[in-house]
Amino acid sequence: MAINYTALGHVALRCRDYQKMLDFYVKKLGCEELFHLDNDDGSLWLTYVRTAKGQFVELFPEDYPGDNDALKQSPHHFCFEVDDFAGFVRQLRERGVTVYDGPANTHPVMAGEPEDRARGMCGSLCAFIQDPEGNDIEIMQFTDASMQLICDR
């Protein structure tokens, strides 16, 4: 029997500074704070932030020992697919979010206007940002030349 996946449901992030991370995902990225769950003692356990219907980022207010250096860890980045790359990049810049050509530790700040952005090797439009705790986030819009769509027919 084949396994039928329907979506990647969520990405879970530990947060040293929970309020700063929640503000970033809600106020800077425009995600919706959907609900939170509490521990038995009444303390906050996690918050679900919706990125799109049925897709979420879970924020856990708990410290962690790592430094989120993507060059030293297995999780490289996660990606948000958007339907208006140029508009989203403009909105991020207006909200004070730095946009990079690729992962922030290895690529420069994205120069120029987002409308002039060349397609990447896979045929999609993409750029990267970092959340306040250094997690790399790719922003991607598929195009008619996107290998993700061509190969997934």
Side-chain angles (χ1 to χ4, degrees):
M1 181 173 149
I3 297 173
N4 295 311
Y5 295 98
T6 58
L8 178 63
H10 68 263
V11 172
L13 301 173
R14 289 184 174 97
C15 306
R16 285 189 180 110
D17 188 334
Y18 167 80
Q19 194 58 54
K20 193 174 201 177
M21 291 284 278
L22 181 63
D23 287 349
F24 177 81
Y25 283 92
V26 172
K27 294 179 180 170
K28 301 276 187 181
L29 298 188
C31 300
E32 178 185 2
E33 180 180 350
L34 199 59
F35 65 89
H36 70 269
L37 299 174
D38 293 333
N39 292 306
D40 290 341
D41 66 3
S43 63
L44 179 64
W45 177 41
L46 65 85
T47 298
Y48 258 75
V49 177
R50 180 171 37 204
T51 61
K53 185 168 177 55
Q55 297 179 1
F56 311 93
V57 174
E58 287 180 341
L59 300 176
F60 288 82
E62 54 189 57
D63 203 359
Y64 52 90
D67 60 6
N68 278 0
D69 183 340
L71 300 176
K72 299 178 189 173
Q73 63 188 18
S74 176
H76 189 279
H77 66 271
F78 60 94
C79 179
F80 290 140
E81 181 185 342
V82 299
D83 62 1
D84 179 6
F85 177 81
F88 195 75
V89 168
R90 277 194 306 279
Q91 197 170 55
L92 289 172
R93 287 175 170 171
E94 288 169 6
R95 294 176 180 179
V97 177
T98 302
V99 181
Y100 298 89
D101 282 334
N105 289 340
T106 57
H107 289 78
V109 172
M110 188 178 112
E113 295 303 317
E115 293 83 5
D116 300 330
R117 183 79 169 168
R119 295 175 180 176
M121 290 176 65
C122 66
S124 301
L125 297 169
C126 65
F128 281 72
I129 60 175
Q130 277 192 331
D131 70 19
E133 297 199 3
N135 297 297
D136 282 317
I137 304 166
E138 184 174 10
I139 306 302
M140 178 178 282
Q141 179 181 347
F142 293 141
T143 71
D144 57 350
S146 293
M147 295 301 295
Q148 296 91 332
L149 300 180
I150 293 168
C151 294
D152 194 31
R153 290 184 180 156

